[in-house]
Amino acid sequence: MPEYAPAFLAPASSSGIAAGLPRRSQPHPQPESHIVVPTATFHPAGAGTAAGGSYDACGSRLSWQQAAAVAALAAVGRSTRTGRNGALHGGRGGRKAITQAGIDLCRRAKVACRASTTAWLPGEQDTGSFSSESDYLNSLSDQAKLPAGFRVGTTSLSFIPAEAPDMGKLPMNLTVICADEPTEAYAAVFTKNAFPGAPILVGRKRLQAGAPLQAIVINNKVSNVFPANGGESASEAVCKAAADALNLPGGASSVLPSSTGVIGWQLPTSELVEAMPQAVTTLQADSILPAARGIMTTDRYPKVSSVEFPGGGRLVGIAKGAGMIEPDMATMLCFLLTDVELPESGRDALQSLLADATRVSFNSCSVDGDESTSDTVALLSSGRVPGPSKDVFSAALRAVCQELAAQVVRNGEGTRHVIRVAVTGAADDATALRVAKAVVNGPLFKSAVAGNDPNVGRLVGKVGQALGSEGAAMAQGCICRIGGEVIFEGGQFTLDGEKELRLAGHLKAAEMASESKFPPHGRVVDVQVELGGGGSGKAIVLGSDLTKEYVEINSDYRVLTTGAQGEPLLRVRPVVRFGGRCCGSGAATGSGRAAPIQREELWAAGPEAFWKQ
């Protein structure tokens, strides 16, 4: 299995078929018998092969739950069918009953289920969809279940930035993630930016010291990066407030700080310290979704992914990030919680597993080519449940990170299209990654995709630029495809009028509304670059297009306006969300493009005016 392919965990099969679940004639596997396979292709008899997709007998695309249900129900002799709209049916109860039956059977068969994504599979398209924000949020309810031994809580506060007091009170979210007991089973990776934020500096010290951790405290709106008064003391003060409010035996050193937002502003320490007791009173052990909401900034919707292991253990992850996304070590912020005992006792081994997972997920995506000063991904385990093998846990960790990374790209600022670039045949993986990132970061190609314009010369030109003169051998015999259509081969373009229309249709099919508060679908612009020379290097990178909305968001994120006396005033673009409600310009007007005067009027009414939208 390619290391970048999303995987779910399935029982071993001596015959090699029924990779997803056993045939009717096959006995249920023993608990210790597990292998890792790509998503299986299920056939009418219920058998499967290790191929890149999940289908029912009619050839329709299915979700992971449905695919598991098809195989599981086939394994016990129950039939399924797919309706005209792709909905899965099976006896009584329809799609929901089938899904739950499949999950229950998977659990009894010792199969670890997860919500997988096809975003990292070249040539594959996810035909699933969400019809509304509530539809999407409902789909997260099962995934968002917290592992045993963890609680999360969030609250809101307001502050006046010392660097721009004329802006008045601004909103901020404070989120707390707390383990019931201190844990030594944790790992974290941080940005490689030469100007890291104070929470990164504190986090590196925590990692180096190796003392047990018990909590993570996160604020949005202000990233606490090299403010005028220094930021480490502010982060430590917030950690101490969390430790005091939670009565942690390890004190502030058992708390990991994390911040995201405007770079250069001082952290409103006193306001955060004052709000900490309220955040602690909201702690609950049911769902991680409040935390997924609380860490959002310009994100349009929360992002959650999870795995359920044999024996009931879980791995759950959340992420935030919509701009400044081309991480060198993580995404902007990502937090992973599990209740299983981790397979390796040493923290170095756990660090290695986490670094490997980020390498093929967050390090392989880009929204705008800008690396944040605050990138963090952290993993904590409560160790409440016996864990799987190292290989099984590693595959699950990689799969969750890949799904979250795909969600980050789809939720990018102003994103209308997700672009998947798969490069093969390179001299090495590093070269393949360089070529793929050059394509997804090329402003001309990104702009063409945004307009559904199959201007394929921009793709080929970017590939050639990335290869340079030293890559001439790889340029020879290069084949480029978009949507499966060969557009460049044998040193020349292969285009005609009908192909142009098909290419435009492929781009249009992957388009989505940039202001949508939920992901309407999972389709991507599929780009494949096969380099000449027969090298073994390969890479897959996810990126986004470049839209007018992206420019609008980032050109007036901080807006200079004039007051009643003609004095210059600075306003922050209202994009922070509270309690699941958007405080952004889109929420204020319903269009995502509020005029400056409307923003000023709302700000004049105070932050509460945004909270009520």
Side-chain angles (χ1 to χ4, degrees), residues 206-531:
R206 299 277 195 270
L207 213 60
Q208 185 176 11
L213 287 183
Q214 195 171 352
I216 303 173
V217 59
I218 311 116
N219 71 272
N220 66 356
K221 199 61 174 181
V222 176
S223 61
N224 193 19
V225 178
F226 291 104
N229 65 342
E232 287 189 62
S233 60
S235 289
E236 289 286 10
V238 174
C239 289
K240 183 180 184 304
D244 291 345
L246 294 165
N247 195 28
L248 302 184
S253 62
S254 65
V255 181
L256 183 72
S258 192
S259 301
T260 181
V262 176
I263 295 173
W265 282 5
Q266 299 176 39
L267 201 65
T269 309
S270 59
E271 290 88 342
L272 285 166
V273 169
E274 184 178 350
M276 191 66 67
Q278 175 60 32
V280 170
T281 63
T282 68
L283 288 172
Q284 49 80 33
D286 297 325
S287 173
I288 201 171
L289 191 55
R293 293 178 183 272
I295 64 176
M296 290 163 45
T297 52
T298 55
D299 309 66
R300 286 171 280 123
Y301 45 82
K303 292 165 281 294
V304 180
S305 181
S306 66
V307 165
E308 184 166 329
F309 294 102
R314 291 179 58 77
L315 169 65
V316 180
I318 60 174
K320 64 83 50 187
M324 290 189 77
I325 303 295
E326 186 181 351
D328 194 24
M329 189 51 70
T331 185
M332 289 185 69
L333 295 180
C334 174
F335 305 104
L336 303 152
L337 307 176
T338 184
D339 49 13
V340 300
E341 292 178 336
L342 298 180
E344 296 285 351
S345 56
R347 191 170 296 128
D348 289 344
L350 187 57
Q351 279 289 138
S352 178
L353 291 181
L354 187 58
D356 178 69
T358 60
R359 177 177 57 84
V360 295
S361 56
F362 300 120
N363 287 2
S364 296
C365 67
S366 177
V367 170
D368 48 22
D370 281 347
E371 182 187 8
S372 168
T373 55
S374 304
D375 295 342
T376 299
V377 58
L379 167 66
L380 275 71
S381 170
S382 64
R384 293 287 190 88
V385 180
S389 69
K390 176 182 176 181
D391 288 344
V392 168
F393 182 81
S394 176
L397 180 62
R398 185 166 61 246
V400 168
C401 288
Q402 285 185 319
E403 185 173 15
L404 289 172
Q407 291 183 36
V408 166
V409 175
R410 189 165 297 279
N411 197 192
E413 291 175 347
T415 295
R416 293 183 193 168
H417 300 80
V418 173
I419 305 169
R420 176 181 60 214
V421 180
V423 178
T424 58
D428 49 47
D429 289 350
T431 300
L433 184 64
R434 185 178 75 249
V435 172
K437 283 199 171 184
V439 173
V440 299
N441 286 331
L444 288 178
F445 180 65
K446 290 161 69 78
S447 298
V449 170
N452 295 317
D453 176 12
N455 194 336
V456 296
R458 296 179 176 181
L459 166 62
V460 175
K462 205 64 185 177
V463 172
Q465 178 186 350
L467 289 174
S469 58
E470 67 275 13
M474 287 182 285
Q476 295 295 322
C478 177
I479 302 174
C480 296
R481 296 179 176 87
I482 296 179
E485 300 269 2
V486 175
I487 56 97
F488 186 83
E489 184 177 18
Q492 62 183 10
F493 288 96
T494 58
L495 302 172
D496 57 53
E498 291 186 357
K499 183 178 289 187
E500 285 271 355
L501 292 176
R502 292 196 299 271
L503 292 172
H506 176 70
L507 300 180
K508 185 66 177 176
E511 189 176 23
M512 55 191 172
S514 63
E515 69 274 10
S516 176
K517 300 299 187 294
F518 63 94
H521 60 72
R523 295 186 293 275
V524 302
V525 175
D526 183 37
V527 177
Q528 299 181 48
V529 178
E530 182 182 339
L531 299 176

